[in-house]
Amino acid sequence: MKKIVGIIAAAALASTAFAEVNVGTWNRAIFEPVYYDGDTVRSFEGPSWDVGDKGGVRTGLSFSASSENAGVVFDIHGNPGASIGMGDNAYTWVKPVDMLTLKFGKMDNNWGRLDHCFGTWDYSRFAGVLQVGEGLAGVERQKGLGAEVTLQPVEGLVIDYEANFKTTDDDAATAGKDNHAYDVLWESSSTMIGYQADFGFIRAIINGQQATTYKAKDTDTKPAAVIGLAADITAIENLTLKVGASIPTVLTKKDSAIRIGAGVDYNLDALTLHAQTDLGIRAKSKNDDGDYELGAFTAYVGAGVDYAFSDAWKLVTDVRFSTYSDKPKEEGKDVKWEDPAFGAYLGLQQQLTNATFAFGAQFGKRAMHAKHEADDFTFAVPLTMTVSF
């Protein structure tokens, strides 16, 4: 045993001359001893994005090793239900020249995505259209298993491209059957072109889409994409402004939407104010040709206030409202959007050495994660801990 330990120690010492090896962990656990679904009082548990009645929380380990021009990153997740599997990242990378980085494998690549997270995003998140934080206004990156190429030819300028393999086929025998070069290199790809400066970060994102028809009765398919524009503005002290918009090149499908959004954070010493909105023009009706016509205006707004009583304690509030609560449903040639949704949260957060602990009360209509009748008023008492090393 001593000999094995000695060999491991010697190998570790030798490796430090060439590479840096890191191990980290991030964990999110929520327990709701009381959850009223409009009819029954239940108990739930899970991570922020998957609180439910099965129990279990997110625990994760991250491993990485890197030298000046090469490295590897690997994550392991313990998921609800006590399953263990590959996490968000499992890739290798090399840097042939200073301006070029190549990554092959599974990448959790969110570079350029328009994010504005506050309030319950770090606790028990609201459900449906009220769960706004990552990908505001639909400005997101397509990611998964594949290859990422990052080019930074001059200071501030970045061109980041990712090609992705389709891996969602439930039939293992046919998984990957559509991974032709065109599918991988375009339809599942994501390209971000951005510029970082003292005033902030501006960028454009192009996500390829599966070939589609511009008219319902067409037989030929044509290339398609979703184009996003975004900017994070930090030029004003204590103020961060995030704005963005997304538009698909095909506007005749049921899930077509033109979206614009904005998020604001303003810090006043102990007080921090948050506000965000996501506005959309979506399908309203279907014409005689079978195409969906835009015209339904949808609006989401959210706001929050944080107040730090001390370095250890702060008050957190979060209020959200949307003019619709679910995906559209067809009634003849009309498209019906479900009724409005609203939710609110009030709680306290304690900052510990390498963790946070939060508790509060959360309520709403068409806003919570449990199954319930649409008109039911729901209420929960979430307890949240986030632990990292």
Side-chain angles (χ1 to χ4, degrees):
M1 183 66 182
K2 291 182 178 179
K3 183 177 181 181
I4 295 175
V5 173
I7 293 173
I8 294 174
L13 183 63
S15 67
T16 57
F18 305 99
E20 178 180 326
V21 180
N22 299 291
V23 179
T25 178
W26 184 90
N27 312 272
R28 172 66 54 76
I30 296 172
F31 175 54
E32 294 181 350
V34 174
Y35 185 106
Y36 177 65
D37 65 4
D39 178 64
T40 305
V41 178
R42 306 178 184 276
S43 294
F44 288 143
E45 190 178 68
S48 292
W49 53 92
D50 194 22
V51 178
D53 57 6
K54 295 181 180 179
V57 300
R58 165 59 60 83
T59 55
L61 278 174
S62 298
F63 301 88
S64 66
S66 63
S67 64
E68 184 178 353
N69 50 28
V72 60
V73 176
F74 180 54
D75 299 337
I76 299 174
H77 284 171
N79 297 303
S83 63
I84 297 177
M86 181 171 64
D88 295 329
N89 295 287
Y91 65 86
T92 59
W93 63 269
V94 296
K95 201 169 186 178
V97 294
D98 286 342
M99 70 173 65
L100 177 65
T101 302
L102 305 175
K103 297 178 182 177
F104 297 162
K106 181 182 181 183
M107 286 82 64
D108 186 27
N109 178 21
N110 301 309
W111 199 358
R113 184 179 65 187
L114 186 62
D115 293 344
H116 185 248
C117 305
F118 68 96
T120 52
W121 188 260
D122 289 331
Y123 309 143
S124 182
R125 295 175 188 169
F126 290 115
V129 295
L130 299 187
Q131 184 177 299
V132 177
E134 297 172 349
L136 182 66
V139 182
E140 304 190 51
R141 296 295 302 272
Q142 293 188 144
K143 57 187 179 181
L145 296 172
E148 181 185 355
V149 181
T150 304
L151 184 64
Q152 297 173 286
V154 296
E155 184 178 359
L157 177 64
V158 58
I159 302 171
D160 186 77
Y161 165 82
E162 181 169 337
N164 294 294
F165 289 83
K166 299 174 184 176
T167 58
T168 57
D169 197 320
D170 293 331
D171 185 353
T174 59
K177 63 182 176 61
D178 294 325
N179 285 324
H180 303 293
Y182 184 76
D183 302 310
V184 174
L185 300 177
W186 170 250
E187 292 184 344
S188 300
S189 73
S190 181
T191 303
M192 189 264 295
I193 303 172
Y195 184 73
Q196 182 83 48
D198 293 339
F199 60 82
F201 183 32
I202 56 174
R203 65 271 190 197
I205 295 174
I206 303 171
N207 289 320
Q209 300 288 288
Q210 290 187 352
T212 187
T213 58
Y214 284 90
K215 294 291 182 180
K217 296 182 179 180
D218 284 352
T219 56
D220 295 332
T221 58
K222 303 178 176 101
V226 175
I227 301 171
L229 300 172
D232 297 352
I233 307 300
T234 56
I236 301 175
E237 187 177 3
N238 298 324
L239 176 69
T240 299
L241 173 63
K242 300 185 177 185
V243 295
S246 65
I247 181 172
T249 59
V250 178
L251 294 171
T252 57
K253 298 192 299 180
K254 184 177 180 180
D255 57 353
S256 297
I258 300 173
R259 296 169 60 183
I260 61 173
V264 179
D265 301 301
Y266 187 56
N267 183 263
L268 294 166
D269 295 325
L271 186 69
T272 303
L273 307 177
H274 310 279
Q276 63 181 197
T277 186
D278 192 329
L279 310 177
I281 302 175
R282 303 170 185 268
K284 180 181 181 181
S285 60
K286 184 188 292 187
N287 61 29
D288 293 336
D289 293 329
D291 296 321
Y292 290 92
E293 296 181 346
L294 299 183
F297 178 80
T298 61
Y300 154 85
V301 292
V305 177
D306 301 342
Y307 184 79
F309 298 103
S310 65
D311 291 339
W313 289 95
K314 73 175 179 179
L315 174 73
V316 177
T317 66
D318 187 352
V319 179
R320 306 185 184 223
F321 171 81
S322 179
T323 59
Y324 68 106
S325 63
D326 206 346
K327 295 180 179 179
K329 296 181 179 180
E330 296 179 36
E331 294 185 353
K333 289 188 177 181
D334 295 327
V335 176
K336 178 184 177 183
W337 292 86
E338 293 299 309
D339 293 332
F342 77 89
Y345 172 88
L346 173 66
L348 291 172
Q349 176 179 296
Q350 181 186 19
Q351 180 68 50
L352 303 171
T353 304
N354 57 295
T356 60
F357 175 66
F359 55 91
Q362 189 172 7
F363 60 90
K365 275 192 175 183
R366 307 175 189 90
M368 309 289 270
H369 43 75
K371 294 180 180 179
H372 49 76
E373 296 298 326
D375 290 328
D376 284 343
F377 177 85
T378 53
F379 174 82
V381 179
L383 311 176
T384 306
M385 61 178 73
T386 303
V387 182
S388 59
F389 292 92

